[in-house]
Amino acid sequence: MANKGWDEFDAGAILFSFNDKVDNIATTLAEDRPYSPSNSFTASVGDWRIEKPIFNKDYCIDCQFCWIYCPDVSIIARDKKMIGIDFDHCKGCGICVEVCPTNPKSLLMFDEHKDDDECLAGWPEKDEKEK
Amino acid sequence: MSEIKKIKNLKEFSTSADRFEGANLLCPGCAHSIIVREVLNATNDDLVLAASTGCLEVCTAVYPYTSWDASWIHIGFENSSTAVAGAEAMYNALKRKGRLPQPDRTPKFVAFAGDGASYDIGFQWISGCFERGHDMMYVVLDNEVYANTGGQRSSSTPVGSSTTTAPAGRVSYGEKKEKKDMMSIMAAHHAPYVAQVAPNKWKDMVKKIQRGFNTVGPVFINAVSPCTTEWKFDPADTMMLTDLSTDSLVFPLYEIIDNKELNITYRPKNVVPVIDYLGAQGRFKHLFKPENKHILDGWQKRVDDNWDYLQRREEARV
Amino acid sequence: MADKMDLLDVEVWDGNMAASQAMRQAQIDVVAAYPITPSTPVVENYAGFLANGYIDGEFVMVESEHAAMSGCIGAAAAGGRVATATSSQGFDLMVETLYQASGMRLPIILNVVNRALAAPLNVNGDHSDMYLGRDSGWIQFNAYNAQDAYDLNLIAFRVAEDHKVRLPAMIHQDGFMTSHTAEGVLTLSDDDAYNFIGDYKPMNAMLDFEKPATYGVQTEEDWHFEHKARQHNDLMTKVNPVIQEVFDAFEKETGRKFDFVTNHNLDDADVAIVAMGTTVDTAMLVADQLREEGKKVGVLGLRVIRPFPFEKLAAALSNVKAVCCMDRSAPGGTVGMLYNEICGAMYNSANHPVITGYVYGLGGRDMTVEYLKGIFADGEANAAAGKPTTPLQQFIGVRGPKLNFL
């Protein structure tokens, strides 16, 4: 959001989450919300990451542990399925990987700059010891 | 809309539309936002939120961004309780006078605050709100330290923790005082519902939050919030630390109803030694020197004694 | 629905009752309050109205003044009419939240029954608490008597809640001298008073779930200055036109005329006393007596302390040769606020009167007719000499060797 002059914003430094009126936000998913430019949803902290989580849906059982324990609302779950990661909001903490119960894990951390396909190509095999 | 949201399992829970947004400025791996998400997602009712000064507040409303999809207010360090109580009073007035913008809604009033804001500087405000009986929920994000300002001790800081204002040193093992027992103090206000929660035990937590939302009057929730920065552990290990906190019984999960009935809500199958919990955190590192063994022993004894006490209370139904 | 109260055209009220009655007539949605001498009766009277069915808003008796203003802020942000009252140490305790109320642009009405500040502890009236609040970004109205306290409450709600303003406002009255002194007060009927104020018009209400609002954000070096500048701009440019509008409307409604400054015989005066609170009324009495002796003296009462009415004040003092500024607060190592502000207002005006300052009345010490005569005499000597004939700062009414500075 561009830095505005003193005469260009709402008095009282009040921020509004949405551009338009919302009816029942608790049942409106992100893609259907009229986010305002002041909503941090529209911002990115992607550049905080040193490592990124990569999702391998071949092993995912949709347990949703990653969804509930993600501190940054960055696990995208729709219709009870894990469908991906929101890399604008993921800070790369690695909690999702730690709580992933599958073997091999369905989420692993990789260097931020490593190519996604390369990450998936080198996915580890099932670890017998981990069981 | 005031019916309780159905959350049978995690799959069903994952259909929630979060009202807390990413690109907030909390540390990677911060448990605060996990707790906030579980609280907010426990209901589909409208929310009026307040936050005391602290990590959550300074990281979620830094102009020109807000991370809140519900109305939210921050006044000061000590008064999120009273801020939301004021809003609740306005709700009651406008309801009576027929001037609510959406009269059919059943909003919930929630204040979030850290342990410093709650156990220390905001204690009087919370006490006042609970004595007056506002219909609100007060959630402590208990990371046992003033994390926002760089790790100073609070009255929630436990014995032996090294903080910047009670550091471990050549002649000190760090914090000397025991953690304040806020659960008992708040229950003693005859609050209708007081509960300790941990975000790893999400089902227990959501059940308690829903019970809290369904309770008329002030509800106190103490949520353990492992702090990667001040407890000094890897951000990826937040849930592991939370597991250790509940399974070592350092943070027993229980509820007190009307200051009359105490229920333990989680009994670990395998209780973990307290040293496993302490050893996973840099803030207790110095306790593992030989000269501090008595502090470690004291820790285990204190946790055991507290667990015995809670069990006796539960059994006696008091 | 609250019961209406039948008022006589003239009621015998003290300043506290005048304020409470105006608050009742405003049909406030939330009052969060805490008692403190000498404003306690405002809260007690209001509680009595509630207990007898005259109030249908919420009345929250909190555990401290800080909590009182905190609750008021939460309630005001939620979206409705809010007011409270306090004094002295309670005002001190509120200070943190005063800045937050104005910074969030919440139109809260605060009756401040002025009292000294400890230490040493003192329950009586002076203006120390009022002075403490003068940089807080609130509008500050000044009552000289119980009638003013009533009228200015009605005026303050309408000004503060105007969407062009949206700032909190204080109504100051002198502890005990006004707050506990019964006077005849001309009243408005409940309907007329409420209609004068008008319905509360919500703006950015937290309880509007169709438009969630975030209040109380953090702004650092990249935004803070702009927000403070905006607030100051609105205080300097937007508030006074609305105050003028409401003063005019009030005069039309009641015949009682208010202005930013009270000009009492200043147009042909050589000497002016500038004062606030009850001292304005006393000084006018003294000035009238001196006029009968042929002395060209007048009084300027400061009705609106913030925003400070620089131009109106300079215009009212444009013909005087000497100004005596009456500060009822210990300035703590400098000149008094009024002395300072008036020098500031006059320095670049066409008229350059001799300006001297007086510190008086601390902790409830009386400002007597004799003292005021002496001060007018100082002013006359200054006017005749065209320069100060006394030190610039004198303490009036204090025991011991005469205390002068500068």
Side-chain angles (χ1 to χ4, degrees), chain A residues 1 9 15 17 23-24 28 33 35 37-41 48 62 65 67-71 73 80 91 93 98, chain B residues 10-11 13 17-18 20-24 26 29 33-34 37 64-69 105 199-200 202 236 239:
Chain A
M1 195 165 143
F9 44 73
L15 293 172
S17 317
D23 181 23
N24 190 357
T28 308
R33 292 175 173 179
Y35 284 118
S38 287
N39 196 306
S40 74
F41 180 85
W48 290 24
D62 294 312
F65 283 151
W67 173 80
I68 192 166
Y69 298 131
C70 174
V73 207
K80 304 182 182 179
K91 295 167 187 162
C93 68
E98 290 300 314
Chain B
L10 205 40
K11 279 183 194 275
F13 200 21
D18 275 281
F20 179 71
E21 296 293 350
N24 58 63
L26 289 159
S33 41
I34 306 172
R37 289 187 58 222
Y65 293 112
T66 177
S67 300
W68 301 94
D69 298 335
R105 308 290 184 106
N200 58 330
W202 70 268
M239 297 323 295

Side-chain angles (χ1 to χ4, degrees), chain A residues 68-123:
Chain A
I68 192 166
Y69 298 131
C70 174
D72 291 302
V73 207
S74 297
I75 301 295
I76 306 168
R78 292 291 180 270
D79 300 323
K80 304 182 182 179
K81 300 253 184 285
M82 153 63 164
I83 59 169
I85 293 158
D86 174 352
F87 283 106
D88 282 336
H89 300 146
C90 169
K91 295 167 187 162
C93 68
I95 288 178
C96 53
V97 172
E98 290 300 314
V99 301
C100 180
T102 62
N103 185 2
K105 285 184 182 288
S106 319
L107 285 153
L108 285 172
M109 299 304 284
F110 291 91
D111 184 278
E112 174 67 17
H113 300 292
K114 193 167 175 180
D115 180 72
D116 287 7
D117 292 335
E118 220 178 296
C119 299
L120 288 166
W123 209 263

